[in-house]
Structures are given as structure tokens and as C-alpha cells.
Amino acid sequence: MIEKATVKRQEERLTGRFLEGIGFTLIIALIGYGLAKVPGFDHVGQLACAIIIAIIYRQIWGYPEKIRSGIQFSAKRLLRFAIILHGLKLNIDVILHQGGWLLIRDVGTIVFAIVLTILIAKLFKADDSTLVLLLGIGTGVCGAAAIAATSSILKAKDEDTAIGAGIIALVGTVFSITYTLIRPFIPLTALQYGIWSGVSLHEIAHVALAGAPAGPNALAMALLAKLGRVFLLVPLSFILVYWMKHKEKTKSGSKAKIEFPWFLIGFIIMSLFGSYVLGHAFTVSASMMNGISSFTSFILTMAMIGLGLNVSLRDLRTKAFKPFLAMVITSVLLSVITYFTIYW
């Protein structure tokens, strides 16, 4: 009886710490959400704010080991759940019927961003090839969501995933604000500006921020171009799975075991559901869809906090500076080149 009582108390303690860990990421996510409402931080976004808070916490108080299980649940399980929900943002029907010609540009964007980021990083002799690849994918596809979706395929460290997501969020915010500032002075029509924003900016939120001031038609075109890049996340992920298996097999000489990204199946299912069921079989209000989108972003933020707690600033300056520089140069060239291809 005493042993059973002891085991029960231990289980209750473990359960309590597990819930405390999830609650810990929830609280920081709420703080990040609130901070993102403050003027000056409102353009940065809750994701970047929350990751910064998590990183600062780690440097001051260290990693909260007692509640690690709950934090890891947020970092791993909630991350996959957020990616699955992210599928609702992709309207496949719109892409196939209206955005087919934009897919060609989107493919070019993704290939250009990944290849150039890797080449520049090699030129700078950057050490962390995984972080470089994650930044290239984030720049080319859809920011932090793409980094989160491909990090497990690439067997990336939690630290690399968090650093990559944080860099993408911050740099993308700077670029989107820059776009809005220079828009009145560039000779692009509203629709051309929308295409430029959607093809070259990092995340859906950045595209929305930059595209909105040009009017509803420009914003719609910007989001259409961006959704094409989100759509291409699926084939890119399967290409990465094949590449990793081949890479590991070459290293070990035996068949490699790469975890299949099952959450991408959920992403596809949710995309199909949002494209062909919502609004067809039954109607969902715009406010409810906005609520689901906000919930998805919040869950992704909780997950990224779990990853951000693994970041050590001691190593960040030497480890991340060269990949960061490669990603910024790639982003600048991507913006300039896509601008001139659209203008001409």
C-alpha cells in the first residue's frame, strides 16, 4: 500500500510538472502576444516577441529542467499540431485555378533562395549547414512555418530551429515595413506590387502587412502568390525526405531510417478540407476563420518558445552570424531580382 501511494504521488508530481511546462510556454506566449500589441512591437509580431522573451529567460535563469517534459510537449507535439492547422490557410482550389502561372515564379523563388543562401554561406565559411538550409527554406517558402515543418526531416537541433524561426520573423518584419515605406515611390501598379510582395516576402503575415496598404486587389494577389509557396512546402518536404535518406545511406552504407513527416499528411487533409468542404458543405464566417488563424499562430508561438529555451546566446554570435548574413543578402537579392522581373 505504501509503495502504491508513493508511485501515485510520483505520477501526480510528474503530471503536475508536465502541465506546468505547458502552462509555462502558454504564459510566455501570452506575454509575447501582449507585447506585440504595444506600439513599436506591433510590427514585430507575437512569434518573434515570444522567442526573444524565451531566449532572454534562458540566459538569466537557465533552462527550467523540472518542467522539461511539458516544455518538450509544446516544442514537439504542439508544433506538429500547428503545422496541421496551418493547412487551413492554403486554398488549393484557388491555387490550381487562378494561381497556376504564379507557381512558376514561386518555384523559382524557392530554388533561388535555398541555393543562394547555401552558396553565400559557403563563401563565408559558415559552420552550421543545417541552420543555413533552414534559413534558405524559410526565406523561399513560408518563414517560420516552413522551418518548423522541415526541421524534423533535416534532424535539426531545437536550437537551430528556434534561431532560424526568430531570424526569419525579425528580418521578414523589417522587409515588409520597408516595402510599405517605398511603395509610393516605385513605378509598380497595385497588382504588380501585390505580386512582388507575395513572391518575395517571407511569411504570410509579412505579405499581409506589406500588401494591405496597396488595396484589397493588391492584397488578394499578394496572398495568392504567397499561397503558391505554401503549397510547394509539401513537395519540397518529400524531396527533403528522399535527400536525407540518400545522404544517410551514403554515410552509413546501409538503409537510412528517416522519420516520415506524418503531420504533413494532416496538413494536406486540412488543406483539402479548407478548400473543398469549408464554404461548400457548410459556411464558416470570416471572423471564425480569423479566430482559427490566430489560434494556429498562438499554438506555433507556444511551440517556438519550447525551442527558444534551448538557445544559448554564448554560441549565437559565432554560430548564427554568418548564416544570418547569408540569409539577409539572399533576401535583398530576391527582392531586387523579382522586382525587376515584374517591372519589365
Side-chain angles (χ1 to χ4, degrees):
M1 291 294 291
I2 295 176
E3 286 185 4
K4 285 184 178 181
T6 303
V7 170
K8 187 177 180 181
R9 281 197 298 272
Q10 288 177 342
E11 289 177 348
E12 289 175 348
R13 191 181 303 115
L14 290 173
T15 301
R17 288 178 177 175
F18 174 76
L19 295 175
E20 286 174 12
I22 297 174
F24 183 80
T25 60
L26 173 65
I27 290 170
I28 295 184
L30 288 171
I31 295 172
Y33 178 81
L35 185 60
K37 298 291 184 182
V38 177
F41 290 94
D42 51 345
H43 292 308
V44 176
Q46 67 179 41
L47 179 64
C49 288
I51 289 177
I52 291 170
I53 293 170
I55 292 173
I56 292 173
Y57 182 96
R58 163 68 189 272
Q59 312 319 305
I60 298 175
W61 292 286
Y63 193 97
E65 290 290 345
K66 290 183 178 180
I67 55 175
R68 175 180 284 273
S69 61
I71 293 172
Q72 289 299 304
F73 176 85
S74 291
K76 303 296 183 184
R77 303 298 179 186
L78 289 186
L79 179 60
R80 285 158 175 74
F81 180 54
I83 296 300
I84 291 171
L85 289 179
H86 201 76
L88 282 175
K89 295 184 178 183
L90 174 61
N91 192 315
I92 297 175
D93 192 55
V94 171
I95 295 297
L96 295 179
H97 288 87
Q98 300 179 34
W101 64 278
L102 284 173
L103 280 177
I104 299 173
R105 280 187 176 275
D106 291 333
V107 170
T109 294
I110 293 172
V111 173
F112 178 86
I114 294 174
V115 172
L116 190 60
T117 303
I118 293 172
L119 290 177
I120 295 175
K122 283 185 177 180
L123 184 66
F124 291 156
K125 297 180 180 178
D127 297 326
D128 198 321
S129 58
T130 303
L131 176 58
V132 170
L133 182 53
L134 286 173
L135 287 173
I137 291 169
T139 302
V141 187
C142 54
I147 289 176
T150 56
S151 60
S152 62
I153 300 171
L154 298 173
K155 296 185 175 180
K157 297 177 182 176
D158 290 348
E159 182 182 30
D160 287 341
T161 306
I163 290 173
I167 289 174
I168 283 288
L170 290 171
V171 173
T173 299
V174 172
F175 269 69
S176 58
I177 293 173
T178 302
Y179 274 38
T180 60
L181 292 176
I182 67 174
R183 184 186 64 82
F185 307 103
I186 56 177
L188 293 181
T189 66
L191 290 182
Q192 286 176 324
Y193 173 79
I195 295 171
W196 181 47
S197 301
V199 170
S200 60
L201 287 175
H202 303 77
E203 299 196 26
I204 292 177
H206 299 147
V207 172
L209 175 61
N217 292 332
L219 178 58
M221 187 59 72
L223 292 174
L224 180 62
K226 183 61 185 176
L227 287 177
R229 292 160 69 188
V230 178
F231 175 80
L232 292 169
L233 173 63
V234 176
L236 175 64
S237 296
F238 289 122
I239 290 171
L240 291 174
V241 168
Y242 174 81
W243 175 68
M244 284 296 291
K245 283 185 176 180
H246 178 74
K247 180 182 175 183
E248 294 296 321
K249 185 178 181 180
T250 304
K251 270 186 184 179
S252 62
S254 58
K255 191 174 181 180
K257 292 182 179 179
I258 303 297
E259 181 185 354
F260 184 81
W262 292 106
F263 57 91
L264 283 179
I265 302 299
F267 175 90
I268 295 170
I269 291 171
M270 292 304 286
S271 298
L272 292 170
F273 178 77
S275 303
Y276 301 108
V277 178
L278 289 182
H280 298 277
F282 57 90
T283 304
V284 177
S285 65
S287 60
M288 180 174 288
M289 287 303 299
N290 289 334
I292 293 172
S293 178
S294 298
F295 176 73
T296 301
S297 298
F298 190 81
I299 293 296
L300 182 61
T301 301
M302 287 179 64
M304 286 300 171
I305 288 164
L307 299 176
L309 288 168
N310 291 288
V311 176
S312 171
L313 287 180
R314 185 181 301 173
D315 303 324
L316 184 60
R317 184 173 58 182
T318 56
K319 182 179 181 180
F321 178 72
K322 290 178 180 178
F324 163 76
L325 195 58
M327 177 258 175
V328 171
I329 294 173
T330 299
S331 298
V332 171
L333 291 175
L334 178 63
S335 292
V336 172
I337 292 172
T338 51
Y339 170 82
F340 282 110
T341 58
I342 292 168
Y343 177 64
W344 287 338

